[in-house]
Amino acid sequence: MKKTLIIAICAIVALATGNVQAQRDGEVSARSVADRSFEIAKNLEIFSAVYKNLNLNYVDEVDPGKTIKVAIDAMLASLDPYTNYFAESQMEDVKLQLLGQYGGVGALIMQRGDSIFVSEPYKGLPADEAGLKAGDRIVSVNGESTHGKTTSDVSSAMRGQAGTEVTLRLERAGKEFERTLTRREIKLPNVPYYGYVGKDSDYGYIKLDEFTTDAAKHVREAFVELKKGKPGMKGIVLDLRGNGGGLMNEAVDIVNIWVPKGTLVVETKGKVASKNTKSYTRMAPEDTEIPVAVLIDNGSASASEIVSGSLQDLDRAVIVGQRSYGKGLVQNILPMAYNSQMKVTVSKYYIPSGRCIQAIDYSHRDENGKAVKVPDSLKTAFKTKSGRTVYDGFGIEPDVEVEPEYMSNLGIALAQKLLVFDYATNYYRSHKELASPATFEVDDALYADFCRYLKEKKLTYSTVTEKMIEQLRDVAKEEKYDTAIAEQLKAMETALEKEKEGDLQKHRTEVCEMLKSELLVRYYYDQGRIEGALRGDKVLARAIEELRK
C-alpha cells in the first residue's frame, strides 16, 4: 500500500513541478519560483499525511487505488471538464474517444430497470453477425449475471482485447439462448452516411459524426464520389449537428477540402509560448468554388466549431442551424506511469478572424462554485475575410438561424417509457421487410396500430399545465382557498384530460418521425435512420434554400 502511495505522489509531483514555468514575459524572479516550489512541496506533504492517517486510522480498510483516483478526479474537476485522468483499465475508453475504435462486439446497450438490453447492433460487426437484435435482454456475460449492473459495468465486461472471446446469454421473447462472440477491433464510421438531397437530388450531403483518425480522408472521399456521381452537383452540405469534436488536425484537413493550400485555419495559444501553433491547410483543395453549407447545433463543439467557424471566417460556407456549444479549449494526451494517461487542457484555439469561441470561463466561478459564461460586456467583434462582423465568446453563431424543435410531453413520455422502442421490437419480429429508407413513411394503418398498442399499455404522462394545477392546489390549500376554487380546479383538470386525448393526433408528425426512425434502424441500421430522417429535416431544407441563392 505504501508503494502505491509513493507512486501516486510521485506522479502528482511530476505533474505539479512540470507546471513551474516562466511567465510569458520571461522575467519571473527566482524568489517567485522558490515560493511556488515551496507551496507545491508543502501541499504534497499535507496530502501524503492525510492519506497516511486514513490508512493507519480509518475504521474500515482503505482501497489505495480507488482513494487516490477519487482525489485525482476531484482535483481535476476544479479545473475544467476536459482535463481527465485515465487509469490503465480505461484505455479502451481513451481509444474510443481519440480513434473511434475499441476492442469489443459492436453493439449499443441500454439499461431498463435492473436489466440490460441490446439497443442497436452495428452492421457487419460481431454482435450483428451473431444474430443479436435490438430488444434482446443480456442475461449474463461470461457466466456473470447482469442483473442490477449498469450499462458501464456490462460494457466493460463485453469489451476486451481483439481476438478474445466473450460468451453472452440472452433472452428474446421469453426464450434464452447463448452466443460466443470473438471480439474485434471495432472502428466506428466517422461518416455514417452521404448521398444526394434536394428536390432534384442535385446537392450533396455528408454526415460527419466524429473527428477521429481519418475523418478528413473519409469526408474528402465522400465529396469526390458525390461529385463524380453527379458532375453537375450544385452544392454540398456538411452536417456537424451533435458532433462533439475530436482531433484538431482532422478539422484542418476537412476545411482544406474547400479552401486553398496554405490558408490559416486555427491557431493555438497557451501558457507555454514555445508550444503555440498555427495550422495551415497543407494539400491541394478539391473544389474552391462549389457552394458549401454547414449544419450546426448546440451539440456541435470543438473540432466542429473549428470547421464551421473557420469556413465562416473565410466566407467560404453558409452556417445554418443553432448556435454551437462554445468549446475553444485544446487538450493533449500525456502518457504516465503504469499505462495510465492524462488528457490536459493546454491552450485555447483561435480561428482565422482571431476570435476564440470558448463560452465558459472555467477560471472564474460564482458563489456556488459554478463556472460562469463569458459576459456580453467582454465579447469582442471581429471581421470575416469579406468584412462581416462576428463575435467571440459564445460559440459559432449561424449565418441563418433555424429555431430548434422541442419534443412534446407525449414524445418525451414515449421515449422515456421506451414504448416506441418496444413497438418497433415487436414489429420487426413479425414483419420480414420494410420499405427502403428513401420511401418509407408511417401510413394511416401503421399509425392506427401504434395507437391501439399505446391504449393497451395504458400510457400516462403529465404535462406542465397539470403540474402547475397541482402546485396551485397546494398553494390554495396553504392559504385556505382550496374549498372555494375546488370546482374550478377540477373543471380545468377534466378539460385538460379531454384535450390530452387528442395528443396522438395533434403530435402525429412528431410521433411518426419517432416511429420511422426506430423502425428504419431495425432493418437498415444507422445509415437507414439517417437517410430516412433527411426528408423531413427543416434545417437541411433551409440550407438547400441558401445554397440555391
Side-chain angles (χ1 to χ4, degrees):
M1 187 171 290
K2 288 183 179 179
K3 182 178 178 183
T4 305
L5 175 60
I6 292 169
I7 290 170
I9 292 175
C10 287
I12 296 171
V13 171
L15 289 171
T17 54
N19 284 331
V20 181
Q21 298 163 337
Q23 292 179 354
R24 292 181 181 177
D25 59 8
E27 296 178 357
V28 177
S29 67
R31 181 177 177 181
S32 175
V33 173
D35 288 346
R36 184 170 173 80
S37 296
F38 172 73
E39 282 297 312
I40 292 170
K42 181 183 79 172
N43 284 286
L44 285 172
E45 186 176 345
I46 293 170
F47 177 85
S48 174
V50 168
Y51 185 84
K52 182 178 179 180
N53 282 319
L54 280 176
N55 182 45
L56 292 174
N57 301 304
Y58 189 67
V59 63
D60 295 320
E61 190 67 30
V62 176
D63 182 326
K66 182 178 180 181
T67 305
I68 295 296
K69 178 69 164 60
V70 169
I72 292 172
D73 289 345
M75 175 176 63
L76 300 184
S78 70
L79 303 175
D80 65 50
Y82 315 111
T83 297
N84 309 119
Y85 166 75
F86 300 100
E88 182 179 10
S89 60
Q90 296 173 290
M91 284 305 101
E92 288 297 330
D93 294 330
V94 176
K95 287 171 65 178
L96 178 59
Q97 285 186 33
L98 296 179
L99 306 176
Q101 66 183 50
Y102 62 95
V105 301
L108 290 175
I109 61 175
M110 67 179 184
Q111 187 166 358
R112 190 173 191 175
D114 290 327
S115 299
I116 301 295
F117 290 81
V118 175
S119 59
E120 182 184 338
Y122 293 121
K123 184 178 181 180
L125 295 179
D128 181 41
E129 292 175 348
L132 272 64
K133 304 295 181 185
D136 290 347
R137 183 171 70 89
I138 303 174
V139 179
S140 66
V141 180
N142 288 332
E144 185 174 347
S145 173
T146 63
H147 184 77
K149 298 288 181 66
T150 66
T151 53
S152 179
D153 295 332
V154 177
S155 179
S156 295
M158 290 169 64
R159 290 181 183 178
Q161 183 103 18
T164 59
E165 291 186 341
V166 58
T167 299
L168 305 180
R169 187 157 192 82
L170 304 116
E171 183 268 327
R172 180 187 301 164
K175 296 181 180 179
E176 291 193 5
F177 60 99
E178 200 167 272
R179 293 285 185 272
T180 297
L181 294 76
T182 301
R183 296 184 180 98
R184 226 184 275 172
E185 200 67 40
I186 307 299
K187 180 71 171 73
L188 302 178
N190 37 44
V191 178
Y193 177 80
Y194 62 93
Y196 300 105
V197 292
K199 185 178 179 181
D200 300 312
S201 299
D202 46 2
Y203 292 88
Y205 170 88
I206 301 172
K207 173 66 175 172
L208 178 64
D209 273 352
E210 298 178 299
F211 286 82
T212 49
T213 303
D214 290 334
K217 175 187 174 185
H218 295 149
V219 173
R220 185 178 284 258
E221 288 174 347
F223 178 67
V224 169
E225 189 171 330
L226 288 169
K227 277 190 70 176
K228 185 178 179 181
K230 195 175 286 280
M233 190 169 70
K234 296 178 180 178
I236 185 72
V237 178
L238 178 64
D239 192 346
L240 299 180
R241 289 174 295 179
N243 186 325
L247 302 175
M248 188 170 70
N249 63 296
E250 298 294 339
V252 174
D253 288 346
I254 287 172
V255 173
N256 195 174
I257 298 171
W258 299 294
V259 304
K261 180 180 179 181
T263 302
L264 176 65
V265 174
V266 62
E267 181 177 3
T268 66
K269 298 177 185 178
K271 182 166 61 177
V272 185
S274 61
K275 293 186 178 180
N276 293 347
T277 64
K278 289 186 177 182
S279 298
Y280 297 84
T281 52
R282 56 192 179 86
M283 296 175 284
E286 290 297 334
D287 194 324
T288 60
E289 299 297 328
I290 192 169
V292 180
V294 181
L295 311 185
I296 61 171
D297 61 13
N298 57 18
S300 306
S302 189
S304 288
E305 294 172 302
I306 291 175
V307 171
S308 55
S310 60
L311 289 173
Q312 184 181 56
D313 282 356
L314 297 168
D315 292 301
R316 183 62 189 91
V318 58
I319 313 302
V320 183
Q322 296 94 44
R323 182 177 295 170
S324 64
Y325 182 81
K327 181 181 178 290
L329 305 176
V330 181
Q331 287 75 43
N332 281 355
I333 297 292
L334 306 178
M336 295 174 60
Y338 298 94
N339 296 320
S340 61
Q341 292 185 351
M342 273 191 75
K343 181 159 66 81
V344 183
T345 298
V346 295
S347 59
K348 294 180 180 180
Y349 69 73
Y350 299 79
I351 48 182
S353 65
R355 56 181 169 144
C356 178
I357 53 79
Q358 177 63 24
I360 299 177
D361 181 3
Y362 291 103
S363 64
H364 294 88
R365 298 181 181 260
D366 61 20
E367 61 275 10
N368 298 315
K370 186 177 180 181
V372 298
K373 288 191 174 183
V374 177
D376 291 342
S377 59
L378 295 182
K379 291 172 182 173
T380 307
F382 293 82
K383 297 293 183 182
T384 68
K385 187 177 179 180
S386 66
R388 293 187 301 123
T389 300
V390 289
Y391 294 91
D392 67 351
F394 56 14
I396 302 300
E397 188 172 10
D399 301 307
V400 179
E401 186 168 3
V402 180
E403 285 295 319
E405 295 184 331
Y406 297 103
M407 191 175 281
S408 66
N409 290 303
L410 171 62
I412 293 171
L414 293 176
Q416 289 178 339
K417 297 174 186 287
L418 297 174
L419 290 168
V420 176
F421 181 89
D422 288 345
Y423 179 83
T425 297
N426 295 334
Y427 187 95
Y428 179 75
R429 289 173 182 172
S430 58
H431 296 77
K432 291 184 178 180
E433 297 179 347
L434 191 76
S436 73
T439 61
F440 174 69
E441 291 292 345
V442 176
D443 59 20
D444 291 344
L446 180 56
Y447 194 69
D449 186 59
F450 179 66
C451 291
R452 284 192 294 271
Y453 171 80
L454 292 182
K455 192 171 183 180
E456 291 172 5
K457 296 296 179 181
K458 296 181 170 56
L459 170 64
T460 59
Y461 59 96
S462 296
T463 66
V464 175
T465 305
E466 285 175 308
K467 292 175 182 176
M468 292 183 71
I469 292 173
E470 193 58 38
Q471 288 175 7
L472 179 58
R473 177 177 280 110
D474 292 339
V475 172
K477 187 174 183 179
E478 288 178 11
E479 298 184 339
K480 303 189 184 308
Y481 294 132
D482 51 317
T483 303
I485 64 172
E487 289 187 14
Q488 289 89 333
L489 291 176
K490 183 64 178 176
M492 289 171 65
E493 287 176 327
T494 301
L496 185 58
E497 193 62 38
K498 187 175 181 180
E499 189 69 21
K500 279 175 63 180
E501 291 175 3
D503 277 359
L504 279 167
Q505 294 308 315
K506 185 191 303 180
H507 300 293
R508 175 169 175 160
T509 300
E510 175 190 359
V511 178
C512 281
E513 285 299 316
M514 295 173 70
L515 276 169
K516 182 170 75 170
S517 176
E518 196 63 59
L519 286 168
L520 283 174
V521 79
R522 303 305 175 99
Y523 292 86
Y524 301 102
Y525 304 91
D526 191 41
Q527 184 176 7
R529 171 166 50 195
I530 295 170
E531 183 180 358
L534 295 180
R535 293 196 306 279
D537 192 328
K538 293 181 180 179
V539 179
L540 174 62
R542 185 60 189 275
I544 293 173
E545 281 182 31
E546 293 299 316
L547 291 177
R548 286 198 176 107
K549 292 181 179 178

